[in-house]
Amino acid sequence: MRAVHFNAFGEQPELADVTEPECPPRGAVIRVRATGLCRSDWHAWMGHDDTVSLPHVPGHEFAGEIAELGSEVAADSGWAVGDRVTAPFICACGRCDECRSGNQQVCDNQSQPGFTHWGSFAEYVAIDEAELNLIRLPDQLGFVEAASLGCRFATAYRAIMARSRLATGEQIAVHGCGGVGLSAIMIAVAAGVKVYGVDVSDAALAAAAALGAIPVQGGEGAAERIVEASGGGVDVSVDAFGSSETSFASVRSLKKRGRHVQIGLMVGENALAAMPMDAVIARELEIIGSHGMAAHEYPSMLGAVASGYFRPIELVGRRITLDEVPAALAAMGTAGSGSGMTVVEL
């Protein structure tokens, strides 16, 4: 099969012919029809994730059709070759304590396409535990829109709808208006609250404003600008980018008893970011992590998308081919490389 492949971290990826994935006994192989290009894929390519081994094929936000089911998938599972599906970027085991408690997004034995094994920048991708992790796509949902849900929209959906406890009448700031940040803005705007979109890029700020957010210039002084604009600080602030600077500014943007939600990955030198713990104590602030979304939580989100309540297709900034992925992946490390999501069509 054709796949985007690299042999060394940071080395220019290339399109190559590689061996198709083997189907896990309880898993499935998916014929990829669309896959998102995410900053997490850039982190994998740069070697920031210690689960990645070389050589590697990245990619983890995908939608497609079942090409093969594992020999141990139950005959009455309801799944068949040709079914239109997606899967969470965290594929759970179904047997650990976290899975049994319903928290498959933090499974103790999780696998992640594009990280723990070869991913979806390819014609085929394998997933584990098909009966637990496969998600059927509504007929109204195309492959590009389904891939755009990937880790970004689904992560933002759970972060806003569940983890942040966002309530009517509250205000929220979203730091970083890329794919996951714009998703968070779309979801929060739909909830009817006042939303501030923060970024250093004019294009990203324009995209945030088009969704209904109040644009705020990022960088030095961003927290102070949000506090002033909101009349004393916001109730919820989200770092959707993932850096020492944006996470710090997010916490400093909060009013007393506010909630900071971290969804942007904090890796490398940002993994041990400083926090204004004096403010956390004095103002009784909360710092909350949010990591993906379990498969059993997808139906409500998919129903809202299928009904038109959310329109993540509007967040797709460009569509590219598999041939264009190597250059696009490398460009993700460049500031101002574009706004919105990039989806690869196969």
Side-chain angles (χ1 to χ4, degrees), residues 21 27 43 48 50 60 103 116 118 159 193 197 204 222 255-257 261 264 284 293 319 326-327 339:
H43 284 302
H48 296 161
D50 60 11
H60 64 289
N103 292 297
T116 62
W118 283 12
V193 303
K255 66 189 295 186
K256 288 181 178 179
R257 304 188 71 244
V261 184
E284 290 195 349
M293 189 165 76
R319 305 182 188 199
S339 62

Side-chain angles (χ1 to χ4, degrees), residues 126-200:
I127 68 160
D128 294 319
E129 304 296 338
E131 294 182 59
L132 177 65
N133 295 309
L134 284 178
I135 300 163
R136 193 179 304 277
L137 297 178
D139 292 339
Q140 307 95 311
L141 211 59
F143 289 126
V144 168
E145 190 166 20
S148 76
L149 299 176
C151 84
R152 285 169 285 188
F153 198 88
T155 294
Y157 181 86
R158 182 169 175 273
I160 301 300
M161 301 297 288
R163 298 292 284 161
S164 80
R165 309 191 308 277
L166 186 66
T168 302
E170 291 190 326
Q171 299 184 80
I172 181 173
V174 177
H175 296 254
C177 299
V180 69
L182 292 176
S183 298
I185 287 170
M186 175 178 282
I187 294 161
V189 167
V193 303
K194 185 175 286 187
V195 184
Y196 302 89
V198 189
D199 208 288
V200 296

Side-chain angles (χ1 to χ4, degrees), residues 248-263:
F248 192 94
S250 177
V251 174
R252 295 292 296 177
S253 303
L254 293 169
K255 66 189 295 186
K256 288 181 178 179
R257 304 188 71 244
R259 289 99 66 195
H260 161 79
V261 184
Q262 186 67 45
I263 54 178

